[in-house]
Amino acid sequence: MKKVYSVEEYIEVNSHFSEELTLLRNIINATELTETLKWSAPVYSLDGKNVVGLGAFKKHFGIWFFNGVFLKDEKNLLEQAQETTKGLRQMRFTSMSEIDKDAVLSYVKEAIENQKLGKEIKSERKGKKVDMPSELKDALKKNSVLHDAFKMLTPGKQREYADYITSAKQDATKQSRLEKITPMIIKGVGLNDKYKNC
C-alpha cells in the first residue's frame, strides 16, 4: 500500500470502503480520543497510548483494539488477529449493514476506560537484550551515521534486523542482507514495516 499522509488520504486510497470508514471514524471522533496517523493508517490514542485503529483491506475493514483482550465482548464481535497476538483484537466488517453504531461506540468507550485504568499488555520482550551478529556490529562501528540511526530504532526493530542477519547461513548472504538493510536503518524504518498494513 502506498504511503499516506492524512486520514482523509487513507480513506480516499481505500475508496471501496470510504463511506464505511468515514462512519467508523465519526463514531470514534465523537469520543475524547486523539486522531493520528501511524504505520500509514488512522490510529486513535489517549495520552499518547494507542487505543484503537482503523484498517481497510481488499474484502473487509474494521477497528483494531490495541488492548482488546480486556474488552468484555458481550456481543461477541471481536476476533483475534493472529494466534500470536496477545492484546490486539479486531472488529471486522464486510459491509455498511454490519455496523452497529451503538455497539461500536460502547466498545470504543470501554477501551478508553480500560486505557484510563492502565489495562494493557506489557511486551514480554522489553528488556530482552538484542543478540547482535558480528557483521552488524562491525558495520555499526565503521559507520557512525548507521550506528546513530540503529540506536534510534525501537528494540523490536533492532531485533528484527539482528535476527535477519543471524538467520542467513552463508557469509555472502549475511553480507548481501547487510547491504540491503543499511539504507533502511538509516531511514529509520523497520525491516517488516511495509507488510504491517497488508
Side-chain angles (χ1 to χ4, degrees), residues 46-174:
L46 182 75
D47 302 325
K49 299 274 193 177
N50 300 334
V51 179
V52 297
L54 283 181
F57 304 88
K58 275 188 186 155
K59 296 197 159 76
H60 70 277
F61 62 96
I63 302 178
W64 296 97
F65 291 87
F66 286 90
N67 286 291
V69 68
F70 298 110
L71 294 169
K72 294 187 197 93
D73 195 18
E74 286 164 356
K75 293 185 181 287
N76 208 21
L77 297 174
L78 301 178
E79 44 188 275
Q80 195 166 348
Q82 297 161 341
E83 280 182 36
T84 52
T85 55
K86 290 195 168 72
L88 203 63
R89 293 295 179 270
Q90 186 184 39
M91 193 182 277
R92 190 183 284 203
F93 310 100
T94 55
S95 69
M96 182 74 97
S97 61
E98 293 174 7
I99 301 172
D100 177 340
K101 291 187 275 193
D102 294 334
V104 169
L105 184 60
S106 74
Y107 275 62
V108 173
K109 283 182 171 174
E110 187 187 343
I112 293 168
E113 285 312 306
N114 286 344
Q115 188 60 56
K116 287 179 179 174
L117 294 168
K119 289 184 181 182
E120 57 183 282
I121 295 278
K122 300 277 188 265
S123 172
E124 289 170 14
R125 295 181 121 173
K126 277 190 181 147
K128 190 172 158 192
K129 209 168 173 309
V130 177
D131 239 349
M132 291 286 282
S134 58
E135 296 81 1
L136 188 54
K137 265 188 206 165
D138 292 345
L140 295 178
K141 272 184 200 160
K142 288 178 193 159
N143 184 336
S144 63
V145 175
L146 183 64
H147 176 273
D148 294 346
F150 190 79
K151 290 286 175 218
M152 295 293 288
L153 295 173
T154 63
K157 286 180 181 178
Q158 289 180 3
R159 199 173 297 106
E160 281 177 358
Y161 281 123
D163 291 347
Y164 182 62
I165 302 289
T166 307
S167 66
K169 305 258 187 294
Q170 297 175 359
D171 290 343
T173 311
K174 288 184 180 186

